[in-house]
Amino acid sequence: MCSSDLAADTFARHGDVVGISINYRLGPLGFLSGAGDANVWLTDQVAALQWVAANAAALGGDPGRITLAGQSGGAFSIAALAQHPDAQGLFQRAILQSPPLGLDLPTAEDAAERTRSLARQLGRTDLQALHQEPWERLIEGTIGVLGEYAKPGEWSLAFLPVIDEATLPRHPIDALTDTGIDLMIGWTSDEASFAFGMNPQYAATTREQVIAWTSTRHGDRTEGLYETCAQARADSRPLDVLTQIVTDDLFRRAGVHVAEARAVARPVHAYQFEVSSRLLGGALGATHCLEMPFTFANISRWGSAPFVQGLSPEVVERVTGVLHNAWIGFVRDGDPNREGAPPWRPYTPDDRAVLVVGDDDIQMVTDKVRFG
């Protein structure tokens, strides 16, 4: 989705590259299943990518060096494009920031049931009639769907991508492990605080609740996992443990899996972002989205976002200088290494190197497969 915060003008201005951002259908407009084609959000992106590839040269770019960059759902989208039959060969590099590749994707029937739920919320029996609803009503119904399907202790979404033979025949994480595109992938150390840390219903979360909520994924391992997370950080609250478990389930473990699988045949550059938000006395840590003002070098546009307020100007300058230039280098040459920054080694089977970006230091760390 294009917005003033995510516009690519800083990359064009600082890196002598052509920056393009796109729009695509979101929410029920893009994710309804059972009321027409599945994964319309993705086919919109395929059409945009085809346009970019066809017009890159006319805009001053190189159609043989197209890089896709995205964060969260955008990063997941890039992984989905990597396996879409109509997107093959249309891009050569990818930057995936916090892709939620640990998502369990619904079957066609499961996704259709959510569409039926939306229809019920709006008093409809004909699914096709949903296409005639005004957006205000669709948002109202989406909130109802979220309420119906949300579960405590989970990062809940009203609608999800759906496994579909024509557009998404396999989970996107599988496509990333065998694609030939150059790849950069990373995550923040406290992704899930975005979902739980500012929600007052989680403030008094107990150990027993966290274990109950996360046992659906981890079964008999849950109590041991809880203790491991609790011991990883001093003074961890149950809420902090929940944050780390969900961060690992949705983001970090999947990112490491991609790096491990890719490194066998082709190097990949990996990072972990650890700069902490000052919101709530620092309790959010390095939350979901926090790296974007640094990689885009446009923190001045994020003034209304409370999780970036209070960051040290020195930290902003140092981290932006390294990350923004690394992103530009990767787009231009497939290599994020730039003068004045610590050498960014690729993640390989013999050197499981991750660039760790913190408040006080930016350094390469080996075997960074741990809770942050």
Side-chain angles (χ1 to χ4, degrees):
M1 181 176 67
C2 176
S3 76
S4 60
D5 293 335
L6 301 182
D9 61 301
T10 53
F11 289 97
R13 187 179 306 113
H14 304 150
D16 190 26
V17 299
V18 177
I20 300 173
S21 55
I22 69 168
N23 285 315
Y24 60 95
R25 280 172 282 185
L26 298 168
L29 295 176
F31 288 84
L32 290 181
S33 187
D37 295 334
N39 296 320
V40 175
W41 61 277
L42 181 58
T43 52
D44 281 355
Q45 293 180 22
V46 171
L49 179 57
Q50 290 171 333
W51 185 92
V52 170
N55 292 278
L59 295 171
D62 183 348
R65 291 195 297 170
I66 292 176
T67 301
L68 301 187
Q71 189 268 349
S72 193
F76 187 96
S77 296
I78 295 170
L81 288 167
Q83 54 89 67
H84 195 290
D86 295 336
Q88 300 308 297
L90 297 184
F91 65 104
Q92 291 71 43
R93 295 173 188 143
I95 300 174
L96 282 75
Q97 300 178 209
S98 302
L101 294 171
L103 284 173
D104 294 324
L105 300 187
T107 64
E109 176 54 30
D110 290 338
E113 179 51 40
R114 295 205 180 201
T115 301
R116 290 191 286 269
S117 171
L118 178 65
R120 289 194 301 272
Q121 302 289 337
L122 299 179
R124 293 281 194 175
T125 56
D126 178 8
L127 299 187
Q128 295 299 326
L130 291 173
H131 293 290
Q132 310 306 318
E133 289 282 0
W135 66 265
E136 296 93 341
R137 286 252 299 162
L138 288 173
I139 291 176
E140 178 185 337
T142 297
I143 294 172
V145 174
L146 183 61
E148 180 177 343
Y149 283 92
K151 297 179 181 178
E154 293 187 2
W155 190 316
S156 298
L157 299 169
F159 303 104
L160 290 162
V162 57
I163 297 296
D164 169 69
E165 186 61 34
T167 59
L168 200 65
R170 57 179 176 155
H171 197 294
I173 194 172
D174 298 325
L176 291 178
T177 62
D178 57 21
T179 181
I181 61 176
D182 295 330
L183 187 65
M184 179 193 295
I185 190 168
W187 50 88
T188 72
S189 57
D190 305 281
E191 301 271 10
S193 66
F194 188 87
F196 308 127
M198 293 178 284
N199 188 335
Q201 78 178 69
Y202 288 103
T205 294
T206 67
R207 177 183 184 277
E208 290 70 28
Q209 285 176 315
V210 173
I211 290 174
W213 293 337
T214 58
S215 62
T216 55
R217 274 182 176 262
H218 298 285
D220 294 341
R221 298 178 52 248
T222 307
E223 289 200 34
L225 180 61
Y226 183 99
E227 297 306 327
T228 298
C229 295
Q231 293 168 14
R233 290 183 176 182
D235 303 320
S236 287
R237 303 166 298 164
L239 176 56
D240 301 324
V241 174
L242 175 64
T243 292
Q244 288 306 308
I245 292 176
V246 176
T247 294
D248 201 53
D249 285 347
L250 288 186
F251 301 96
R252 183 163 37 223
R253 188 169 64 243
V256 171
H257 168 79
V258 170
E260 293 278 0
R262 286 262 311 186
V264 173
R266 191 179 182 91
V268 56
H269 287 88
Y271 71 89
Q272 177 160 297
F273 186 86
E274 297 185 353
V275 175
S276 293
S277 171
R278 301 313 189 251
L279 186 63
L280 300 178
L284 290 183
T287 194
H288 192 63
C289 298
L290 189 56
E291 86 285 7
M292 288 197 293
F294 299 91
T295 60
F296 278 81
N298 63 359
I299 199 166
S300 61
R301 301 179 189 175
W302 294 72
S304 61
F307 63 85
V308 303
Q309 294 173 7
L311 289 170
S312 160
E314 292 77 19
V315 170
V316 171
E317 181 178 4
R318 181 179 69 254
V319 175
T320 299
V322 170
L323 293 188
H324 186 57
N325 286 325
W327 266 230
I328 288 172
F330 188 81
V331 170
R332 290 182 59 87
D333 309 314
D335 183 359
N337 285 284
R338 281 297 176 266
E339 185 177 349
W344 189 345
R345 306 190 306 275
Y347 192 109
T348 66
D350 298 325
D351 182 14
R352 302 162 77 224
V354 175
L355 184 73
V356 176
V357 182
D359 291 272
D360 301 320
D361 198 9
I362 301 174
Q363 60 180 322
M364 294 303 304
V365 175
T366 300
D367 288 325
K368 184 65 179 180
V369 187
R370 64 166 178 81
F371 291 98

